[in-house]
């Protein structure tokens, strides 16, 4: 049985009914955090790429930039998890707790392993083709 676009739209509207404030707060918290982490990561990478010296500290900036971007991805994942729970009527009552759902619901390690294994699979897939 296929779900029509109208049914999907109606389900989304029903889930957001009286939850708009919660959804906006969760989105803004996550958007700010993801923006800060990825922006700092990008800036560290940019500093590293434009540096011509041999400083030991500067050699750590590129991996640090990648790590900050990676942590930002987990906050973006928290946003997706929060909205999926909202759709299933299992939302966290406190928006600031929902914004950190990957970390507060003990999902960090499984999601981290998922990310690592997906990265390895994608890397091997691209090499072997």
């Amino acid at each position: 049985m296929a779900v029509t676009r109208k049914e999907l739209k109606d389900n989304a509207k029903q889930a957001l009914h009286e939850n708009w404030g919660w959804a906006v707060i969760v989105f803004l918290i996550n958007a700010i955090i993801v923006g800060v982490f990825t922006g700092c990561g990008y800036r560290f990478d940019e500093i590293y790429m434009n540096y011509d010296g041999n400083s030991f500290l500067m050699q750590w900036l590129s991996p640090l930039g990648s790590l900050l971007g990676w942590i930002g991805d987990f906050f973006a994942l928290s946003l997706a998890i929060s909205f999926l729970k909202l759709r299933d009527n299992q939302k966290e009552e406190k928006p600031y707790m929902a914004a950190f759902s990957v970390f507060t619901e003990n999902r960090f390690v499984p999601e981290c392993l998922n990310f690592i294994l997906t990265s390895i699979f994608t890397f091997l897939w691209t090499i072997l083709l």
Side-chain angles (χ1 to χ4, degrees):
M1 181 176 122
V3 179
T4 65
R5 181 185 174 283
K6 180 165 176 32
E7 290 173 338
L8 287 173
K9 185 177 177 181
D10 291 339
N11 290 342
K13 283 184 178 180
Q14 182 180 1
L16 282 173
H17 182 69
E18 296 182 4
N19 290 317
W20 282 101
W22 180 90
V24 168
I25 290 171
V26 171
F27 172 77
L28 287 177
I29 290 171
N30 278 325
I32 290 168
I33 292 172
V34 169
V36 167
F37 274 96
T38 56
C40 288
Y42 173 76
R43 183 70 181 133
F44 284 161
D45 284 343
E46 185 179 34
I47 291 170
Y48 175 75
M49 296 302 283
N50 294 329
Y51 181 68
D52 292 334
N54 292 332
S55 172
F56 179 73
L57 176 66
M58 293 301 280
Q59 293 177 0
W60 284 93
L61 283 183
S62 183
L64 181 62
S66 298
L67 181 66
L68 288 175
W70 192 53
I71 291 171
D73 289 341
F74 283 104
F75 283 104
L77 180 62
S78 291
L79 180 66
I81 290 170
S82 299
F83 280 108
L84 286 173
K85 285 189 172 193
L86 173 65
R87 183 199 65 189
D88 294 338
N89 294 323
Q90 299 173 352
K91 74 170 187 157
E92 176 74 39
E93 290 301 319
K94 300 173 185 169
Y96 57 88
M97 292 296 286
F100 301 100
S101 62
V102 167
F103 304 102
T104 59
E105 297 176 2
N106 296 326
R107 296 179 72 129
F108 181 75
V109 173
E111 296 299 343
C112 187
L113 289 173
N114 183 19
F115 178 77
I116 291 169
L117 292 175
T118 302
S119 298
I120 291 170
F121 176 76
T122 305
F123 175 74
L124 293 174
W125 183 278
T126 57
I127 286 180
L128 298 175
L129 289 179

